[in-house]
Amino acid sequence: MTLGFHIVDSYNDEKTFYHSVLQLLFKSQQFALNYNCNSKKNVIAMIAGLNSDISFQVANILTLYKVPQLAYGSFASERREGSNPSFFRMALGEDHQVQGIFYLLRNFGWTWIGLFAQDSDGAEHFLFSLEALFPQNGICSAFTQIIPQQHLENINSWNKLAELVEKLKLHFTESKASTFIIYGDTSTLLYVASLLVQVYDECNEKACGGKVWIMTDQVDFSEELIDNIHMFQGALSFMLHSSEIKAFRAFLHLLRTKVNNLEDFWNQDLKCLFSTSDQVGKKKCTREESFQSIPTSHFEMTMNGHSYSIYNGVHAVAHALQSVGSARANSRTTRERKRLQPWQVAPHSVCNEHCQPGYQKKKKEGKKFCCYDCASCPEEKISDKKGFLCPLLFLGQPMRVTCLLRQPTFGMTFSMAISCVLAKTVTGVVAFMATRPGSNMRKWVGKRLPNSIVLCCFLIQAILCVGWMTIFPPFPDLDKYSFTKRIIAECNEEPIVIFFLVLGYMGLLSIISFMVAFLARNLPESFNEAKFITFSMLVFCNIWLAFLPAYLSTKGKEKLAVEIFSILASSAGLLSCIFVPKCYIILFKPELNSKEQLTKRKN
């Protein structure tokens, strides 16, 4: 597979940049949204972005078509790519640059600083982050000058231009600041340089000279900017990190012997004539010319930070495509192997997966904090993650709503479940008695009896719980007395006697259900499931009888864990004892689950 590419120069113009993006997406002469005609190209990803505001706007467009954007600029950390699934950064966040500028100012004792920034959201984040570090270290900003995002010819009026020039002259002459920090892209610096021409024409070198300019890494040192950089009398510039690419110089050497169609490059930059036509004052190119003498703005012999980020971006796309291609090569259908889609190129890049609940992060010795092992939680500690079947209202930090709901929800839910079991048992007994000759129990056969049992039993528990919540509502509280070195955040459910009333009523229902089921255990199986219900109620009662001493003898989160365990264990007992035999018949003895078998067993 070969990666193709399409390179576009935005010329520091937003409209040109947006136009190029739309042209890549739609590829037709007229931009018709969601319409793609006569195209064999497949846009996999876009590598772009020195200007943070433009990059985020373009990312919103690309997201609609699931085309990832790999930005090689350094953006504010507050504007993270997590909010946009199609946006990825190839460079460190801007907070590292802010720290670097701060250390530079502190190292040279520059404490009176002038700030220039383009009118953008990115500049607002930058200024806020930088000025937040100033007061605690004795650094102050003498002024903050916002530069409009227009070129010289697009200024609304010459009056505004003259007003801005006057402000600059005041900053240069009346302010004692001799160190200026300028935040912005190449167009911003070119605009400021054009203003400085007029400023220097109207004030002498003594008043306006001797300034130190500190530039950020949003600047792309193009030929046009380098030709005007002298207006800043030399400057310090922060750049992104870059590394030496071993094969890069060999590639340049190969390029020197292979380029045939770039006559302008050979004529202007290498000062030789590549074509056969004669031209006065220039020698013919031998293809052995050295590239060392070419200005960096025309031809780079080493990669700067932006180029290195672009290089890494291309590698990221290539490796992602290779991974996707390898997976698709093993697909079983031909249709799945067809065209790769852009959204498949966003590789998951983490050092570790997240630790599961019940485990905690343990730092790896000598590794960055992103890399860690997952170790079991310490003794006497439980996870605060809400899962794996746990009663959710009993976990997490106690809050007013959860304290009000957790015990009533538990009590009424289980009362409803046991009432249903009781109604089912009574229904089986009544149905058997109604089959006897001359029985007057037939009038109770139907939905009215079980519905009445469930409703009455549930209402009693509901009235008890509502009265508890109304008269003595539980609330979040801190237990400072149970332990000497720990404070327990818990729900205050006093008076505890009401909780035991709720629990006692639930136990009464289960005992009644157990007794009815036990007495009816010998009835024909066609009429009832008394044996299964007997076992389920026996398990249920035993669990909650064991709960009482365990609950009264524990404190803090251990008390909560006992209740959670009892809830889960009793739920599992009810379900397994009643429904596991049914599932066994359905799955492993389906021949018994027939009308003939039921009739035979009845007779």
Side-chain angles (χ1 to χ4, degrees):
M1 183 184 296
T2 301
L3 281 178
F5 59 90
H6 186 79
I7 300 178
V8 177
D9 193 341
S10 66
Y11 300 100
N12 298 314
D13 181 69
E14 295 182 15
K15 291 183 179 179
T16 303
F17 191 66
Y18 294 139
H19 183 276
S20 302
V21 171
L22 295 176
Q23 194 171 28
L24 276 175
L25 289 175
F26 307 118
K27 310 172 185 81
S28 58
Q29 294 300 321
Q30 296 179 348
F31 298 132
L33 293 177
N34 300 317
Y35 184 74
N36 191 347
C37 181
N38 299 326
S39 173
K40 294 183 179 179
K41 297 179 180 178
N42 185 19
V43 179
I44 292 296
M46 179 176 292
I47 302 175
L50 274 178
N51 185 297
S52 60
D53 294 329
I54 297 178
S55 297
F56 282 104
Q57 293 298 331
V58 169
N60 292 331
I61 299 175
L62 297 177
T63 300
L64 299 176
Y65 300 90
K66 297 183 178 180
V67 176
Q69 177 189 1
L70 286 77
Y72 57 87
S74 178
F75 301 152
S77 301
E78 289 81 0
R79 309 183 72 181
R80 294 177 178 172
E81 61 270 26
S83 59
N84 195 319
S86 295
F87 184 80
F88 302 92
R89 294 188 303 184
M90 301 308 302
L92 289 174
E94 200 174 75
D95 50 347
H96 295 276
Q97 186 174 195
V98 170
Q99 289 287 342
I101 294 176
F102 166 69
Y103 290 142
L104 180 67
L105 298 177
R106 191 174 65 176
N107 182 70
F108 286 101
W110 294 330
T111 58
W112 192 240
I113 311 300
L115 300 174
F116 292 85
Q118 66 183 26
D119 188 10
S120 66
D121 292 338
E124 183 178 344
H125 283 96
F126 174 83
L127 292 175
F128 178 81
S129 301
L130 186 62
E131 291 185 299
L133 297 174
F134 282 177
Q136 55 187 337
N137 291 277
I139 302 175
C140 302
S141 55
F143 61 86
T144 300
Q145 180 63 58
I146 302 299
I147 306 299
Q149 290 195 56
Q150 291 104 351
H151 294 292
L152 180 62
E153 63 271 20
N154 293 330
I155 293 294
N156 295 331
S157 66
W158 288 101
N159 292 333
K160 289 187 177 180
L161 176 62
E163 181 182 343
L164 191 54
V165 171
E166 289 299 319
K167 286 185 178 179
L168 288 178
K169 284 196 294 185
L170 289 176
H171 295 328
F172 274 66
T173 56
E174 297 187 4
S175 173
K176 294 182 180 180
S178 59
T179 302
F180 299 151
I181 298 173
I182 182 167
Y183 179 94
D185 54 20
T186 304
S187 60
T188 303
L189 264 70
L190 288 172
Y191 179 50
V192 173
S194 66
L195 298 178
L196 291 179
V197 172
Q198 302 180 57
V199 172
Y200 289 149
D201 286 343
E202 299 182 23
C203 66
N204 55 49
E205 181 70 19
K206 183 177 180 180
C208 296
K211 309 296 184 183
V212 176
W213 292 85
I214 301 174
M215 301 178 180
T216 57
D217 63 9
Q218 279 74 17
V219 179
D220 184 13
F221 286 94
S222 61
E223 179 181 1
E224 184 181 9
L225 179 59
I226 290 180
D227 290 341
N228 291 274
I229 201 69
H230 66 279
M231 298 306 303
F232 296 96
Q233 303 166 338
L236 300 174
S237 176
F238 280 80
M239 297 297 293
L240 296 174
H241 166 75
S242 63
S243 296
E244 181 69 23
I245 306 300
K246 294 182 180 179
F248 187 59
R249 290 184 179 271
F251 168 75
L252 293 181
H253 179 76
L254 180 65
L255 183 69
R256 180 176 62 181
T257 60
K258 294 294 184 181
V259 174
N260 293 322
N261 58 344
L262 301 178
E263 291 191 18
D264 290 341
F265 170 74
W266 292 89
N267 293 341
Q268 297 178 13
D269 295 326
L270 293 175
K271 308 300 181 184
C272 65
L273 191 63
F274 187 73
S275 63
T276 55
S277 59
D278 293 332
Q279 187 172 342
V280 179
K282 288 191 177 181
K283 60 180 181 179
K284 288 186 177 181
C285 297
T286 63
R287 300 200 185 202
E288 296 298 328
E289 286 77 13
S290 173
F291 288 175
Q292 299 288 348
S293 60
I294 304 176
T296 305
S297 60
H298 291 225
F299 197 86
E300 295 177 355
M301 293 297 293
T302 58
M303 284 192 177
N304 62 22
H306 297 147
S307 299
Y308 186 66
S309 296
I310 296 172
Y311 171 84
N312 287 332
V314 174
H315 265 259
V317 173
H319 283 288
L321 281 174
Q322 184 178 11
S323 299
V324 174
S326 300
R328 292 169 66 90
N330 298 324
S331 62
R332 290 176 290 181
T333 62
T334 306
R335 182 176 299 178
E336 292 178 358
R337 296 188 210 167
K338 287 185 178 179
R339 187 167 171 176
L340 289 170
Q341 300 299 328
W343 58 83
Q344 295 173 307
V345 198
H348 187 56
S349 178
V350 294
C351 185
N352 285 81
E353 297 294 337
H354 292 296
C355 293
Q356 297 296 323
Y359 294 85
Q360 63 176 349
K361 295 178 181 179
K362 183 179 181 181
K363 187 180 183 303
K364 287 185 177 180
E365 193 66 30
K367 299 290 185 180
K368 296 291 183 65
F369 70 92
C370 296
C371 303
Y372 49 81
D373 292 320
C374 292
S376 299
C377 291
E379 188 178 357
E380 298 184 353
K381 303 294 180 182
I382 61 175
S383 174
D384 62 346
K385 301 296 182 183
K386 298 179 180 179
F388 13 101
L389 298 179
C390 282
L392 301 183
L393 293 174
F394 286 85
L395 293 181
Q397 181 179 355
M399 295 185 294
R400 187 168 186 82
V401 175
T402 56
C403 288
L404 284 172
L405 292 180
R406 67 182 194 179
Q407 297 295 3
T409 303
F410 153 65
M412 289 190 290
T413 301
F414 271 80
S415 296
M416 172 69 76
I418 300 172
S419 300
C420 291
V421 172
L422 176 60
K424 185 176 181 64
T425 309
V426 172
T427 300
V429 174
V430 171
F432 175 75
M433 296 176 64
T435 59
R436 294 178 178 178
S439 174
N440 60 353
M441 299 296 293
R442 293 186 179 182
K443 62 181 179 180
W444 297 103
V445 176
K447 297 181 179 179
R448 184 165 44 179
L449 179 62
N451 288 347
S452 300
I453 292 174
V454 171
L455 183 61
C456 292
C457 295
F458 175 76
L459 280 178
I460 294 174
Q461 185 71 287
I463 293 172
L464 188 60
C465 290
V466 171
W468 181 13
M469 296 300 106
T470 304
I471 302 174
F472 302 105
F475 57 91
D477 196 11
L478 296 177
D479 180 7
K480 304 177 182 178
Y481 309 104
S482 297
F483 300 94
T484 56
K485 296 183 179 180
R486 284 185 289 176
I487 298 177
I488 305 298
E490 63 178 9
C491 291
N492 190 320
E493 295 170 342
E494 298 292 341
I496 196 66
V497 66
I498 303 183
F499 169 69
F500 286 112
L501 284 177
V502 171
L503 196 64
Y505 177 75
M506 194 172 66
L508 178 63
L509 286 179
S510 62
I511 292 174
I512 295 174
S513 182
F514 169 74
M515 293 175 63
V516 174
F518 181 78
L519 294 174
R521 69 188 185 283
N522 294 322
L523 292 179
E525 295 182 0
S526 302
F527 292 98
N528 73 100
E529 302 167 291
K531 291 181 180 179
F532 304 145
I533 294 175
T534 301
F535 280 117
S536 66
M537 289 297 101
L538 187 61
V539 171
F540 187 88
C541 291
N542 284 334
I543 289 174
W544 287 104
L545 285 174
F547 162 79
L548 291 175
Y551 185 81
L552 293 173
S553 62
T554 54
K555 297 179 181 180
K557 61 180 180 293
E558 289 82 5
K559 178 178 292 189
L560 211 59
V562 168
E563 186 170 358
I564 291 174
F565 172 80
S566 301
I567 292 173
L568 295 177
S570 56
S571 302
L574 280 175
L575 293 174
S576 60
C577 291
I578 294 178
F579 292 103
V580 167
K582 295 178 181 290
C583 295
Y584 174 78
I585 295 295
I586 294 172
L587 296 176
F588 300 105
K589 299 288 184 179
E591 67 276 5
L592 299 179
N593 188 27
S594 63
K595 184 176 181 180
E596 293 77 11
Q597 288 292 332
L598 289 174
T599 304
K600 180 179 178 181
R601 292 161 65 189
K602 177 179 178 181
N603 294 333

